Amino acid sequence: MTTFETIAKLIAETKDIDAATIKPESTFADMGLDSLDVAELVMNMEDELGVTIEISPALKTIQDVAALVDEQKK
């Protein structure tokens, strides 16, 4: 499973939506995630993926988050 697929699965579980509807260019706002949802999601991603994610305005899309995670895993 790719990093993007893992993140999409976590978002789908958090928001009870179909993971197939989540695209790399999707934003948190597109999926109806507010700041508390994002904070919870980031904690879940950190646990699942074994990385540290700094919440930043630069992380606009799901692909941005996946790229950050992949960079830390190198």
Side-chain angles (χ1 to χ4, degrees):
M1 185 177 288
T2 68
T3 302
F4 171 78
E5 291 168 338
T6 302
I7 293 170
K9 177 185 73 117
L10 290 170
I11 293 169
E13 290 170 357
T14 300
K15 290 302 287 182
D16 195 28
I17 58 175
D18 183 1
T21 64
I22 301 170
K23 306 292 180 216
E25 64 275 6
S26 297
T27 66
F28 295 118
D30 290 343
M31 293 174 288
L33 295 167
D34 62 22
S35 59
L36 291 176
D37 291 330
V38 172
E40 179 183 350
L41 180 62
V42 165
M43 288 188 290
N44 291 341
M45 284 189 275
E46 289 176 335
D47 291 343
E48 179 86 16
L49 300 166
V51 297
T52 300
I53 301 169
E54 190 71 35
I55 299 174
S56 157
L59 299 177
K60 295 183 185 341
T61 67
I62 305 309
Q63 185 57 48
D64 292 342
V65 177
L68 176 68
V69 170
D70 285 340
E71 187 62 34
Q72 286 190 35
K73 288 178 144 187
K74 288 184 180 178

